Amino acid sequence: MGANNGKQYGSEGKGSSSISSDISSSTDHTPTKAPKNVATTEGLDSSTRTLSTPSPGLILPSKSSSLSSPALSSNGHETHSSSSSSAPAETVAVVHSQPGTHTRSRQSKSHHHALVDLLPDLALLQVFSHLPTNQLCRCARVCRRWYNLAWDPRLWSTVRLTGELLHADRAIRVLTHRLCQDTPNVCLTLETVVANGCKRLTDRGLHVVAQCCPELRRLEVAGCYNISNDAVFEVVSRCPGLEHLNLSGCSKVTCISLTQEASLQLSPLHGQQISIHYLDMTDCFSLEDEGLRTIASHCPRLTHLYLRRCIRLTDEAMRHLALHCPSIRELSLSDCRLVGDFGLREVARLEGCLRYLSVAHCTRITDVGMRYVARYSPRLRYLNARGCEGLTDHGLSHLARSCPKLKSLDVGKCPLVSDSGLEQLAMYCQGLRRMSLRACESVTGRGLKALAANCCELQLLNVQDCEVSPEALRFVRRHCRRCVIEHTNPAFY
């Protein structure tokens, strides 16, 4: 590249992390003609062969089917290609050779250049930085100049893989092999790997990531149910800078630790800690109290923890969290039905750091647990207590008096919450912006009018399946003009 190589571009610091790259299957089955200076048949004399670096191109489905997987476009939305056959087909990684010089010769003979060829290298790099991974690999096949630009290390801080049929292990192996060529056996630029929904991703693929990407900061493998504890151990032990880990739906994962023996608790002799701040273990059904104890003792820097539908966790697990992870700001225990008031008391001991708490459908939680939250978490901003049928106006009153900075509250399907509780909220939480009262049978127009009159910043109000009059809804609309009202009253329009 020219003199512009050393200049920085992009909007996100090191590695131009703004790239939203992904590798997916494609329906483009048109074969690419091999360059004349590259050997493609076994009978060619070795003296005519040109040494070239293999580059991963497209991830193409096998010839037996044109079925393709969804791919993320440059703006992050999924696009789907039409399929001529419903039969599943294995998706494989196709490796292409470096483009030869015959393209340049042909262009010089025709005395015709595409307008894009007039762009300087820096401009092309800026364009390439917005391409998904599969399109970036296609660009590497156009010509020698594009090949060199497409594999610029600054474009490869992020790799995104999508598609249920994608052979993710092979795709990761091919990509890391190419990215490690300038720095043998290690890729110092790759900081983010996103493989959500790649159901064929296994421990072998994560082992490659762990061995080749020591600078990894973010790993998302949601829905990859073949991942196990062994692969997670490899990643956290070889990637000391890992901060963001999404394991939602990885039902085989039961713990995260720096020791092969999951039951061995971290001691001061180890002198090591996992630097993870964000951990999502939603739908990790096999996670138990002992596993969470191991996670808490090895990950004391956790600030965001999501344990939705980890149905085996009990109050004892919450005690370990309060003991080892005092900095948690966001915690979700939705549908952890074995967690009750005692567990909520332990959670409330998080030294006032808690800002976000979800205990939706934790039916064992009552006003007792809510009083603990109100007493020890005065900075709470978001609370989801939907389906906590033991919650009454008394618990809501304690919450309103002690948590005046509350911005979002969901007490839907709490039949004991009535207008009295809403009046307390309206008096003390006047900065409330989002309120859900869905299926609260005891709520009438009186409580809604109190909310509307005092909470002028209200932006969303859900009163579906509530017995409220159209007059009360019109009152809300007059006083909170920016408020979206979700209702099931056909008389209100």
Side-chain angles (χ1 to χ4, degrees):
M1 289 187 287
N4 291 328
N5 271 357
K7 295 183 180 179
Q8 296 295 325
Y9 60 93
S11 58
E12 295 189 21
K14 178 183 177 183
S16 181
S17 299
S18 61
I19 179 173
S20 176
S21 22
D22 77 292
I23 293 185
S24 66
S25 58
S26 170
T27 55
D28 183 5
H29 291 185
T30 305
T32 303
K33 185 175 180 181
K36 294 180 181 179
N37 64 333
V38 179
T40 57
T41 61
E42 298 180 359
L44 292 180
D45 184 80
S46 59
S47 62
T48 64
R49 300 185 180 182
T50 301
L51 292 178
S52 60
T53 304
S55 70
L58 304 175
I59 304 301
L60 301 177
S62 60
K63 296 181 179 179
S64 60
S65 172
S66 60
L67 183 62
S68 63
S69 303
L72 289 180
S73 61
S74 59
N75 60 5
H77 297 289
E78 289 190 356
T79 58
H80 297 263
S81 301
S82 59
S83 162
S84 60
S85 172
S86 60
E90 178 183 355
T91 306
V92 295
V94 180
V95 179
H96 300 278
S97 300
Q98 180 181 5
T101 58
H102 72 292
T103 305
R104 290 291 183 186
S105 301
R106 218 169 358 187
Q107 288 181 353
S108 61
K109 289 180 180 180
S110 61
H111 301 286
H112 174 74
H113 296 276
L115 293 178
V116 70
D117 289 334
L118 301 179
L119 292 176
D121 288 350
L122 189 61
L124 273 178
L125 282 172
Q126 184 66 26
V127 173
F128 286 172
S129 69
H130 297 283
L131 295 179
T133 301
N134 64 324
Q135 298 297 333
L136 198 57
C137 292
R138 286 190 180 190
C139 289
R141 301 168 56 196
V142 173
C143 62
R144 188 178 298 275
R145 181 194 180 205
W146 281 35
Y147 176 88
N148 293 328
L149 291 176
W151 288 107
D152 188 293
R154 290 172 292 179
L155 299 177
W156 293 95
S157 64
T158 298
V159 167
R160 296 182 185 272
L161 311 176
T162 60
E164 296 183 2
L165 298 181
L166 176 68
H167 201 308
D169 291 347
R170 189 178 305 174
I172 288 176
R173 186 172 65 250
V174 171
L175 281 173
T176 54
H177 175 74
R178 175 58 184 82
L179 295 174
C180 289
Q181 287 194 350
D182 294 332
T183 52
N185 300 324
V186 62
C187 177
L188 298 177
T189 60
L190 192 57
E191 297 182 352
T192 300
V193 173
V194 179
N196 296 331
C198 294
K199 297 183 178 180
R200 301 185 66 179
L201 179 66
T202 68
D203 287 356
R204 288 177 296 180
L206 284 193
H207 284 162
V208 173
V209 172
Q211 293 170 4
C212 300
C213 308
E215 297 298 320
L216 194 67
R217 297 286 185 271
R218 183 186 186 107
L219 176 64
E220 297 185 22
V221 288
C224 302
Y225 48 74
N226 290 314
I227 300 300
S228 70
N229 289 340
D230 292 337
V232 176
F233 166 76
E234 287 291 325
V235 172
V236 298
S237 60
R238 291 176 178 266
C239 305
L242 188 66
E243 297 179 349
H244 183 113
L245 181 59
N246 186 345
L247 297 170
S248 57
C250 299
S251 54
K252 293 182 180 179
V253 177
T254 59
C255 73
I256 300 173
S257 69
L258 284 171
T259 58
Q260 286 285 10
E261 298 181 15
S263 60
L264 181 61
Q265 188 173 4
L266 188 69
S267 68
L269 296 177
H270 287 81
Q272 291 183 333
Q273 294 178 344
I274 300 175
S275 59
I276 293 177
H277 296 285
Y278 179 104
L279 177 61
D280 191 344
M281 297 193 69
T282 299
D283 293 323
C284 291
F285 306 116
S286 301
L287 181 63
E288 298 181 346
D289 291 351
E290 186 63 23
L292 190 60
R293 179 189 68 82
T294 303
I295 293 172
S297 62
H298 286 75
C299 306
R301 301 180 186 178
L302 279 175
T303 58
H304 296 68
L305 179 60
Y306 304 95
L307 302 169
R308 306 178 188 95
R309 293 180 291 280
C310 293
I311 55 178
R312 299 186 181 184
L313 296 180
T314 68
D315 292 339
E316 181 67 15
M318 302 302 105
R319 186 175 68 85
H320 297 305
L321 278 183
L323 182 63
H324 297 288
C325 304
S327 302
I328 292 181
R329 297 169 59 90
E330 295 193 9
L331 177 65
S332 177
L333 302 169
S334 299
D335 294 286
C336 296
R337 299 179 183 272
L338 298 181
V339 175
D341 290 333
F342 176 79
L344 208 55
R345 185 189 71 177
E346 298 299 318
V347 168
R349 293 170 53 194
L350 292 172
E351 299 183 1
C353 293
L354 205 61
R355 303 289 190 276
Y356 172 109
L357 176 64
S358 177
V359 289
H361 305 296
C362 295
T363 53
R364 297 189 179 189
I365 289 178
T366 66
D367 289 342
V368 176
M370 205 55 63
R371 281 201 298 268
Y372 285 121
V373 172
R375 181 183 304 174
Y376 296 110
S377 303
R379 300 179 182 179
L380 196 66
R381 301 288 195 278
Y382 174 99
L383 176 64
N384 185 352
R386 181 175 62 254
C388 296
E389 298 181 354
L391 181 62
T392 71
D393 290 334
H394 295 291
L396 215 56
S397 176
H398 284 286
L399 194 68
R401 293 172 183 269
S402 302
C403 303
K405 296 183 179 181
L406 202 62
K407 299 295 183 183
S408 178
L409 178 63
D410 188 342
V411 288
K413 298 184 179 180
C414 294
L416 301 180
V417 170
S418 68
D419 294 333
S420 298
L422 296 187
E423 289 172 344
Q424 292 292 314
L425 280 174
M427 185 180 303
Y428 296 101
C429 299
Q430 298 183 2
L432 202 64
R433 295 181 180 179
R434 301 172 68 89
M435 183 75 188
S436 177
L437 300 165
R438 183 170 185 171
C440 289
E441 303 169 355
S442 303
V443 171
T444 67
R446 179 167 62 93
L448 293 187
K449 289 181 180 179
L451 278 178
N454 293 276
C455 303
C456 300
E457 298 181 18
L458 202 62
Q459 298 175 0
L460 178 64
L461 177 64
N462 188 337
V463 288
Q464 293 177 332
D465 303 318
C466 293
E467 296 295 331
V468 293
S469 64
E471 178 188 357
L473 297 179
R474 294 190 186 98
F475 185 90
V476 174
R477 187 168 61 184
R478 283 198 304 271
H479 286 76
C480 304
R481 296 184 178 277
R482 300 174 60 183
C483 181
V484 175
I485 304 175
E486 298 179 0
H487 63 93
T488 52
N489 192 329
F492 176 71
Y493 55 90

